[in-house]
Amino acid sequence: MPDQSYIIAIDQGTTSSRAIVFDHDGNIVSTGQKEHEQIFPRAGWVEHDPEEIWTNVREVVGTALSKANLTRHDIAAVGITNQRETAVVWDKTTGKPVYNAIVWQDTRTQPTVNELANDGGLDRYKDRVGLPLATYFSGTKIKWILDNVEGARERAEAGDLLFGNTDSWIVWNLTGGTDGGVHITDVTNASRTLFMNLDSLTWNEDILKDFGVPLSMMPEIKSSSEVYGTVHTSQLLRETPVAGILGDQQAATFGQAAFGQGAAKNTYGTGCFLIFNTGEEIVRSENGLITTVAYQIGDSKPVYALEGSIAVTGSLVQWLRDNLGMIQSAPEIERLANEVTDNGGVYIVPAFSGLFAPHWRSDARGAIVGLTRFVNKNHIARAALEATAFQTREVLDAVNADSGVPLTELRVDGGMVANEALMQFQADILGVDVVRPKIVETTALGAAYAAGLAVGYWNDTDELETKWAEDKRWTPQMEDSERQRQMRLWSKAVTRTFDWVD
Ligand code: G3P
């Protein structure tokens, strides 16, 4: 086997960390995966332990390499992809986090959002950063840590603390940590903080001041595909170039080869995220989508996107499993749902973190409506899956309204696309074809692509496009009148979740 025949991607996700080795055709060679603890200290709070995440990342890299009998000599580059927005603040001298990572789903910073919105409304920064004020993004989470961890603000102002999403945390550790680790992020992750100017791709010092976050904490913003540094000599992958970073949804866009203007993908994971490529144009949504960076390859121009972010889809199934004990394992939901022919009139609106796109209602909380004595757990299971499809339809409507050119099919990926019944229902509710590619691990693949491009392992995006292949297509079979009836009921259910927070 020749040297450096493979690329390894590290996918640091919301529920687990994975390492996947890919070959030159984009096929998976081996995988390591480990879940980390979800910490819920109070209602609305969601945390992860950054040190556990870093330990798991090292372990899964080892697993992936050893399963395929590979060493660092076989690996041409490392790509990183990550859960976005989740905020880690650590001490650059000790390497220790000052607090747990505050996860993207966490809503504790609602009072800060309200306070900042008092002067100029929720959209006061949107022109510059593409995002509304919301608990979702990193900005208010960093502020919370500085305001609430004893001594943190003084240490930050003295230049002792660093901030990063989990991409920065991993890259800093991977490249040496306290022994010269690089403190960087890429444009896609930076575009989720509320602090990055979309046009110049630089930190906005005025907004940082409004939040009381020192510029010295912020990582240097890099492109998504370039050599940032090499892995430290203390690590298994020592001296391998770290050459790609993409937030996980942007990575899936890359892995789906959605490079052209107008291309789109929808990823069904913990949440669901539809990304619509707008090319070099920064498009401002008038229908509840956010504007984000899709990717930037080296020093070429950035590519932008509109995004419809849905906070809860797969995590609703986890909730039925972990909090209600209704199922033993997530795949069981499909069997339960398939035992009935419809939802029995039940709708579940999983507004656990408020509602994101297109509503942006942080005052919303989850609801199960339409209950009668007839309803059983099969209907609840079905309604839980259908909630994913209904939410995606709302986002697709917003994309179509913003772009003026309706999408004619939707490329899908992520864990839930293995669920055939859900994908058929998705096509039915959208009224357009739903298409699954052969490689559904698009998130890790996208990170591998970005890293591989930077080291010349692949030539360009045209070459990557040739690797995309269709696996399965679902075509709508539902009558239009039934589709409209279902959406009417869903929309009514959504309104029942509003105004729930005092
Ligand atoms: O914005 C949050 C998103 O990046 C998390 O993705 O796949 O970990 O649910 P996932």
Side-chain angles (χ1 to χ4, degrees), residues 9 15 35 48 55 85 101 139 173-174 190 193 212 230 238 322 375 383 405-406 433 452 470-471 473 477 482 494:
T15 50
E35 290 199 2
H48 294 156
T55 303
E85 301 96 13
N173 279 294
L174 205 55
T193 55
T230 53
R238 61 186 173 278
D322 302 338
V375 167
V405 191
D433 285 8
E470 181 173 322
D471 172 46
R473 177 176 291 263
Q477 286 168 3
E482 175 59 9
V494 168

Side-chain angles (χ1 to χ4, degrees), residues 11-15 82-86 104-105 136 192 247-250 267-273 307 309 311 356 443:
D11 177 2
Q12 200 304 292
T14 308
T15 50
N82 59 298
Q83 53 168 324
R84 306 165 305 167
E85 301 96 13
T86 296
W104 58 275
Q105 301 150 326
Y136 176 29
R192 319 297 295 191
D248 57 9
Q249 302 309 319
Q250 284 87 343
T267 303
Y268 298 74
T270 318
C272 209
F273 301 86
E307 175 178 314
S309 331
F356 290 4
T443 301

Side-chain angles (χ1 to χ4, degrees), residues 436-500:
R436 183 172 72 192
K438 284 217 162 86
I439 300 180
V440 286
E441 292 293 354
T442 53
T443 301
L445 181 62
Y449 279 167
L453 283 179
V455 297
Y457 183 84
W458 288 295
N459 293 319
D460 50 30
T461 53
D462 289 348
E463 182 187 352
L464 302 179
E465 250 169 86
T466 63
K467 297 182 188 301
W468 190 92
E470 181 173 322
D471 172 46
K472 181 149 187 185
R473 177 176 291 263
W474 289 269
T475 299
Q477 286 168 3
M478 190 181 266
E479 291 289 329
D480 200 41
S481 55
E482 175 59 9
R483 180 179 305 128
Q484 282 174 20
R485 188 185 75 86
Q486 295 263 4
M487 278 314 291
R488 212 172 39 242
L489 285 165
W490 167 260
S491 302
K492 214 198 287 188
V494 168
T495 62
R496 302 293 192 266
T497 68
F498 294 168
D499 276 326
W500 205 260

